[in-house]
Amino acid sequence: AQKITQTQPGMFVQEKEAVTLDCTYDTSDQSYGLFWYKQPSSGEMIFLIYQGSYDEQNATEGRYSLNFQKARKSANLVISASQLGDSAMYFCAMRSLNYGGSQGNLIFGKGTKLSVKP
Amino acid sequence: GAGVSQSPRYKVAKRGQDVALRCDPISGHVSLFWYQQALGQGPEFLTYFQNEAQLDKSGLPSDRFFAERPEGSVSTLKIQRTQQEDSAVYLCASSLRGLRSNQPQHFGDGTRLSIL
């Protein structure tokens, strides 16, 4: 069975500093995708970044980068130059891309609440 | 707008009532997912549609939950004889392609359901 573990219920970071949000995963699939979503207090889930299991380079999207360590089964999100608007819940999620696997629904972790201090 | 639209935004119902939650996905998106998010938790999968076909309903918690997408666009999640444990945020997501796609799922704002 697939599982996502986020061990940090809450994190604090000073504005303009970088922060790393941890995510480890468990799967027996050979092909899978890893996603990070941001959920502000208003409730919408905002897609941030994607990493495929066969991608050789770490994904980057603006201030977001994904530190992908396949052997360790970790996919940590790095946010550089934190802004007050980054305060939100952050969810790591995984999706099987295996032929014959699940229909591709996302498996989510429990999330990390990030608070950015001015 | 061009995003996923869910209605109502908030729904309060008495225990035992039936409720219907609507999702209007991004135009042209093949895949549609429903998730349930309890307070302080990550979303949990309920059911999946590829066009009008419901290909996976393994996450529906009981036979009181029913979902449909008759014309392959708008979807409705219906909960019959609601119970207090049904209180949660119900999220709908759509993505452009179907199986084995690396396309991200785009979420609506959710419907916050409260059962009294």
Side-chain angles (χ1 to χ4, degrees):
Chain A
Q2 297 178 326
K3 186 179 179 181
I4 295 283
T5 302
Q6 293 180 256
T7 57
Q8 306 154 313
M11 288 280 286
F12 287 91
V13 64
Q14 202 69 36
E15 192 179 8
K16 300 181 184 177
E17 305 256 313
V19 62
T20 298
L21 305 183
D22 294 342
C23 172
T24 58
Y25 61 92
D26 191 16
T27 182
S28 56
D29 290 337
Q30 295 301 308
S31 181
Y32 51 89
L34 296 155
F35 301 79
W36 277 92
Y37 283 84
K38 172 184 177 181
Q39 188 176 44
S41 56
S42 51
E44 73 270 33
M45 296 283 282
I46 302 167
F47 166 71
L48 296 178
I49 195 166
Y50 167 81
Q51 178 85 42
S53 57
Y54 287 110
D55 293 341
E56 293 187 351
Q57 291 195 329
N58 286 343
T60 60
E61 286 286 347
R63 295 187 298 110
Y64 304 108
S65 61
L66 202 151
N67 184 1
F68 181 48
Q69 298 186 47
K70 193 171 182 178
R72 292 187 172 187
K73 293 190 174 179
S74 75
N76 299 339
L77 177 70
V78 181
I79 305 174
S80 62
S82 297
Q83 302 172 358
L84 295 179
D86 294 336
S87 294
M89 285 291 290
Y90 288 81
F91 290 97
C92 180
M94 177 169 60
R95 181 182 195 186
S96 172
L97 301 178
N98 262 17
Y99 184 83
S102 72
Q103 301 300 334
N105 55 281
L106 292 169
I107 307 295
F108 285 86
K110 291 189 174 183
T112 295
K113 184 174 182 179
L114 178 65
S115 299
V116 180
K117 298 187 288 186
Chain B
V4 177
S5 177
Q6 291 187 247
S7 61
R9 188 80 171 90
Y10 302 92
K11 177 69 178 177
V12 180
K14 292 183 179 178
R15 186 164 54 94
Q17 288 183 330
D18 298 349
V19 298
L21 313 180
R22 175 189 168 102
C23 173
D24 198 344
I26 295 172
S27 178
H29 277 199
V30 167
S31 297
L32 186 146
F33 301 82
W34 283 98
Y35 294 86
Q36 181 189 59
Q37 186 176 19
L39 190 63
Q41 302 293 318
E44 292 192 353
F45 170 73
L46 292 176
T47 187
Y48 164 70
F49 290 86
Q50 183 169 311
N51 296 308
E52 69 279 0
Q54 188 176 20
L55 299 186
D56 188 348
K57 53 182 181 179
S58 61
L60 296 176
S62 77
D63 58 7
R64 296 185 297 103
F65 286 71
F66 171 76
E68 60 184 3
R69 193 186 184 196
E71 297 178 359
S73 55
V74 172
S75 176
T76 304
L77 176 67
K78 297 178 180 178
I79 309 173
Q80 297 176 324
R81 305 181 302 280
T82 52
Q83 299 178 3
Q84 284 193 320
E85 60 262 31
D86 299 336
S87 296
V89 175
Y90 291 85
L91 294 165
C92 175
S94 70
S95 66
L96 185 59
R97 298 196 189 97
L99 293 177
R100 302 180 301 284
S101 168
N102 62 2
Q103 292 291 311
Q105 294 177 21
H106 299 275
F107 284 79
D109 290 348
T111 294
R112 186 176 297 273
L113 176 65
S114 298
I115 305 300
L116 304 179

